[in-house]
Amino acid sequence: MVAPSNSSAVAVYCAASLGKQNAFQLAALSLGHALVEAKRPLVYGGGNCGIMGIISGAVIDEGGQVTGVIPYAIHAAGGESDKGNGVAKTESVAKVLEEKRRGQVIVDSMHERKIEMAKRVGAFVGLPGGFGTFEEILEVITWNQLNIHNKPVILLNVLSYYNPLRELIRNGVREGFIQPQNEKLCVFVDGPTDHKDHESFNWGQATIDAIGAWQHDQIQTLPFHWTKDIDTSAIPNGKASIKEMNGGLHGLKATNAWLKRVWHARSRAGRI
């Protein structure tokens, strides 16, 4: 198993939309404040609206460190927009959304964005979001299982938003597709039993506590040693040598070349 990361930074996956519930917005605000208090830099998707805008603005407003990673295509188009026409529910949320000092790292693709975020941090947190948030969360969980990295993945289950995902994971365990102990690959922070208390709950401190309590040695990783037991989350960026990959990178290049030849052959034959 690869060693846990010594980075104090936290990647937060969340929506470019505000959502319909005040509790979602306040949870992002709480998390942003807690990251600054814990001296943990924020790495996020680079947006300035929605839940992304709240958490990044909250960290900046409190004097914390923020790194936004955004693909060129999204940056050139002016960024992502709110998909649900959400509105700020409180003055404090509206204030941080006005923050303009968000620095950005611009990358070429969505894949590079995920790699760049993953290699900079020691933990991942999921706030409520849509397809992109789901995909990002599941990928870093999978990287833990594949022994690519060894980092906690914490989901803030505000208003039970992530209950369907937890049930999906448990169904995978029941049906024999997920090892029972690997339900722990993802930690759910549920908050108070009464949803009425979710707006005032300190989601940020609960998240910091969950990161600190994560038991990295209690999961069952697959026996893959990508680069001799070091964090390999940045390997897809193409910076590993063929020697480090023990031939794996060479094999990947050969496969890619073969696929290109097949595609061109099928294209010439009019089958694509």
Side-chain angles (χ1 to χ4, degrees), residues 41-74:
L42 167 68
V43 178
Y44 82 116
N48 58 8
C49 63
I51 302 298
M52 281 201 288
I54 295 174
I55 187 167
S56 57
V59 172
I60 294 169
D61 194 51
E62 293 291 318
Q65 181 180 342
V66 175
T67 301
V69 183
I70 187 169
Y72 173 76
I74 295 176

Side-chain angles (χ1 to χ4, degrees), residues 130-263:
F131 288 130
T133 304
F134 301 156
E135 186 265 343
E136 289 165 329
I137 289 167
L138 289 170
E139 181 161 52
V140 293
I141 292 172
T142 303
W143 285 7
N144 268 337
Q145 180 173 264
L146 292 175
N147 202 32
I148 292 173
H149 62 200
N150 189 345
K151 302 174 181 180
V153 181
I154 313 297
L155 292 186
L156 274 59
N157 198 22
V158 187
L159 300 180
S160 301
Y161 184 78
Y162 281 112
N163 272 3
L165 176 58
R166 174 156 50 195
E167 181 53 34
L168 181 64
I169 293 170
R170 288 176 174 172
N171 191 52
V173 173
R174 286 193 295 268
E175 298 298 337
F177 294 108
I178 298 173
Q179 292 286 337
Q181 62 270 34
N182 280 356
E183 188 176 335
K184 297 178 181 178
L185 283 169
C186 182
V187 177
F188 292 81
V189 175
D190 290 312
T193 303
D194 191 341
H195 281 185
K196 293 179 182 179
D197 297 326
H198 279 212
E199 289 187 13
S200 59
F201 181 64
N202 193 339
W203 291 99
Q205 187 57 53
T207 301
I208 298 299
D209 292 343
I211 291 173
W214 187 66
Q215 297 178 311
H216 62 86
D217 56 347
Q218 298 298 307
I219 61 176
Q220 180 66 50
T221 61
L222 294 172
F224 302 142
H225 299 282
W226 303 92
T227 56
K228 300 180 181 177
D229 284 341
I230 63 171
D231 182 352
T232 57
S233 56
I235 286 302
N237 209 19
K239 294 181 180 178
S241 68
I242 292 176
K243 180 179 180 181
E244 286 174 326
M245 292 293 287
N246 294 325
L249 185 59
H250 176 74
L252 181 60
K253 287 181 176 178
T255 301
N256 188 47
W258 178 80
L259 287 171
K260 286 182 178 179
R261 289 197 299 271
V262 170
W263 189 91

Side-chain angles (χ1 to χ4, degrees), residues 16-21 25 50 81-89 97:
S17 303
L18 285 169
K20 296 182 178 180
Q21 306 298 329
Q25 300 179 17
S81 59
D82 194 307
K83 301 170 184 65
N85 298 316
V87 296
K89 303 288 187 180
L97 284 171

